[in-house]
Amino acid sequence: MKLQRNGRTKALAIGAMALVSSLSLAACGSDNNNTTAGGSGSSGSAAAAPINCGSKPTALLAAGSTAQGNAVDVWKTAFGAACSGATVNYSGGGSGAGVQQFNQGKIQFAGSDSALKPAEVEASKAVCTGGQGIDLPMAAGLISLVYNVDGVDNLVLDGPTAAKIFDSQITKWNDPAIAALNPGAKLPDADIQSFHRSDDSGTTDNLTHYFAAAGGGAWSYPAAKTWAGKGGQSANGSAGVAAQIKQVKNSIGYVELSFAQTNSLKSAAINTGASKPVAATAENAANTFAKAKITGTGSDLSLKLDYATKEENSYPLLLVTYEIVCDKGNKADTLDTLKAFLTYTASDAGQKAIGEKGYVPLPKELTDKLNAVIPTLA
């Protein structure tokens, strides 16, 4: 049965305040936990939370989104410390590469910042015996427009101007369009060095969806994982883009917020049409994410995001990384560990741990749905 994406649309019934408050949730355990994580390190408070390891922990192979790379590092550290014999080997490579490897049967799950396309769902049936690939939203965040311009500390951009910058329609930092958004700023008469992803990337897909929704027609290409804009330079993965922005003067690029924070990069605020520019913070992204809608059906929990929001304190460049798994037909020898790992990542403790790294913890209404779906994986 083919997955339907435009059937029932359900709003996530959660207010922004409830989601923001989840940023400070205390770590708590879940029922039927049989092992308690120990140790310390990057997993932080999550290391002290009870984790259900399943009956026979084993190794998991996964690949895909680099935007969730920092989140997976936290999760696999805590999970591995709790569960002797369990390892999660996650390689990046971008969302496109992750989906491809998943549909080739090479990995147990893929990380993708874009939901599966109908053709990808159809292809997944070859490896998901009796089932198909589904999207489980697990790591929510925001795309930060990071920049390195001497003397500019509070850059403001809007959809049309950002789209033109990344398409080489605006090539100077003191262009009138940028100056109009930044009165009083000392913008240099310097060439803009823009960086985009070289790999097929869900971060690119979400950014270009924002350009399509809020760019006022300045972005003439379809929203897609593959970069289509003119000019600029490319770098591999979120880490590669962040490294280039840090090194190259008068540069601008796009990465998930945790990479901006890790590399101490400045992030542009976005003029959305609200009363004031919206800063790139987890709290502001949470206000927008609270109104996301579930558009998947059955076990699929793919979401529709509002990239063109004009509400106060609502950051528009959102990103959700999905863990893509088979609803049925998962490999028997790794299924138990896969379910245990996903149960941990969707838990309060797992979401709180990555919230401390710049991600936006999922709202309870959504984690409740995840906790209903994960045990049914077969």
Side-chain angles (χ1 to χ4, degrees):
M1 180 175 177
K2 189 172 290 186
L3 182 64
Q4 299 176 357
R5 298 203 170 278
N6 54 4
R8 300 185 305 275
T9 300
K10 298 169 283 184
L12 289 176
I14 177 167
M17 290 302 295
L19 180 54
V20 173
S21 69
S22 69
L23 291 165
S24 58
L25 280 173
C28 61
S30 56
D31 293 337
N32 301 318
N33 294 316
N34 58 13
T35 307
T36 301
S40 59
S42 64
S43 57
S45 60
I51 294 176
N52 183 352
C53 299
S55 59
K56 188 179 180 182
T58 187
L60 296 176
L61 296 177
S65 163
T66 62
Q68 74 161 357
N70 292 333
V72 175
D73 284 345
V74 171
W75 287 332
K76 72 180 185 181
T77 298
F79 190 70
C83 306
S84 178
T87 58
V88 180
N89 299 304
Y90 185 84
S91 59
S95 300
V99 172
Q100 183 180 45
Q101 291 181 60
F102 177 78
N103 280 345
Q104 292 171 343
K106 295 180 178 179
I107 54 179
Q108 278 74 63
F109 70 90
S112 176
D113 307 321
S114 300
L116 291 170
K117 304 292 190 294
E120 293 169 335
V121 174
E122 193 63 30
S124 73
K125 295 177 182 179
V127 294
C128 300
T129 306
Q132 63 185 30
I134 57 172
D135 304 287
L136 301 180
M138 201 64 71
L142 62 91
I143 300 170
S144 174
L145 300 183
V146 290
Y147 63 96
N148 180 353
V149 183
D150 286 341
V152 179
D153 295 323
N154 298 292
L155 182 68
V156 176
L157 296 173
D158 61 11
T161 305
K164 291 175 182 178
I165 288 172
F166 281 98
D167 193 34
S168 299
Q169 299 175 49
I170 292 177
T171 59
K172 291 282 190 179
W173 276 112
N174 62 350
D175 185 276
I178 302 177
L181 292 165
N182 296 273
K186 295 181 179 180
L187 297 167
D189 181 14
D191 292 337
I192 296 173
Q193 307 294 326
S194 66
F195 285 88
H196 56 265
R197 291 281 290 272
S198 60
D199 50 315
D200 283 358
S201 161
T203 309
T204 296
D205 190 37
N206 282 272
L207 177 71
T208 53
H209 269 94
Y210 165 70
F211 288 161
W219 190 257
S220 60
Y221 318 98
K225 294 177 185 176
T226 302
W227 184 256
K230 296 177 182 176
Q233 303 175 63
S234 64
N236 186 61
S238 297
V241 172
Q244 290 296 321
I245 302 305
K246 193 166 187 175
Q247 295 171 10
V248 178
K249 295 295 183 183
N250 300 314
S251 61
I252 186 169
Y254 57 94
V255 297
E256 200 279 330
L257 178 63
S258 68
F259 288 87
Q261 294 178 338
T262 300
N263 291 277
S264 300
L265 298 173
K266 300 172 186 175
S267 298
I270 304 299
N271 183 336
T272 63
S275 65
K276 61 182 179 180
V278 183
T281 67
E283 290 85 354
N284 288 339
N287 292 336
T288 312
F289 187 70
K291 297 185 178 180
K293 298 176 185 294
I294 296 175
T295 56
T297 58
S299 297
D300 186 271
L301 299 178
S302 55
L303 303 173
K304 179 178 176 59
L305 305 174
D306 184 5
Y307 301 99
T309 180
K310 294 182 179 180
E311 295 196 11
E312 299 295 322
N313 301 313
S314 293
Y315 189 81
L317 279 75
L318 300 185
L319 179 149
V320 176
T321 300
Y322 299 96
E323 311 307 348
I324 293 171
V325 298
C326 297
D327 56 357
K328 298 178 182 177
N330 291 282
K331 294 181 178 179
D333 57 342
T334 55
L335 175 59
D336 197 46
T337 300
L338 175 64
K339 291 163 71 172
F341 179 69
L342 294 177
T343 297
Y344 165 62
T345 63
S347 70
D348 289 342
Q351 289 295 303
K352 178 180 182 294
I354 64 171
E356 295 167 353
K357 298 295 182 180
Y359 294 87
V360 180
L362 299 174
K364 184 177 185 300
E365 282 77 359
L366 190 52
T367 57
D368 284 348
K369 293 180 185 299
L370 286 167
N371 289 325
V373 169
I374 293 169
T376 69
L377 301 179

